[in-house]
Amino acid sequence: MSHPVTEERPVEHGDALNAIRAAVAEAPGPEAAAQRAVDLLRDRFAHYDWIGIYWVDGEELELGPWIGPQPTEHTRIRLGTGICGAAAASGQTQIVADVDADPRYLACFTSTRSEIVVPIFSEGDVVGEIDIDGEELEAFGETDARFLEEVAALLAPLRPRA
Ligand code: SME
């Protein structure tokens, strides 16, 4: 007997997507909604050590809501620069297993070992991205990528200048 191939979404990802959807619906405005989304991700996923949303502003990325142990000095990043700029310029999710082995990496925190950056699209254009730093090597995989791409779709309507 053949079974259709169904992609299983981990329960915690479905729950988190529902919580983000609810937060977006209930927040008083887009910035509060985006902040709530990063807070929820941080609360629910122990390997998401620093989480920020960058929004595209002309030729640069500008840091929006973030949560983590410390602020980053990289509040504006040129498109094409760093792993963040690469994700925005290419529209491709970037998973970096070992930041020290990636020459594109722009260092923010000495504790960071790995990173994932997921573009946020609106009408086919990259309008922002989710950037997550991990303190473990190889903290992120394809399951995180697929999940965060769904989160990105929920965040797209929250961009400034929308
Ligand atoms: N590491 C990023 C810069 C942003 S900080 O991680 C918050 C990069 O290489 O683009």
Side-chain angles (χ1 to χ4, degrees), residues 5-89:
V5 178
T6 52
E7 202 162 308
E8 294 269 326
R9 175 198 280 148
V11 172
E12 64 270 26
H13 286 173
D15 288 350
L17 287 166
N18 286 336
I20 292 169
R21 237 177 247 117
V24 168
E26 288 158 19
E31 199 177 338
Q35 184 68 58
R36 189 81 192 97
V38 297
D39 293 352
L40 278 165
L41 290 172
R42 179 77 187 96
D43 285 348
R44 285 166 181 251
F45 300 98
H47 62 306
Y48 295 180
D49 289 302
W50 187 97
I51 306 166
I53 298 173
Y54 284 89
W55 298 113
V56 173
D57 178 21
E59 293 302 305
E60 292 184 325
L61 292 157
E62 181 180 26
L63 184 62
W66 64 274
I67 185 167
Q70 35 183 331
T72 175
E73 66 188 69
H74 298 297
T75 55
R76 295 191 78 89
I77 298 173
R78 283 197 76 74
L79 295 184
T81 299
I83 296 159
C84 286

Side-chain angles (χ1 to χ4, degrees), residues 50 54 72 77 82-84 104-106 108-109 115 131 133:
W50 187 97
Y54 284 89
T72 175
I77 298 173
I83 296 159
C84 286
R104 302 170 303 173
Y105 176 63
L106 283 179
C108 287
F109 316 114
E115 183 161 6
D131 175 27
D133 285 32

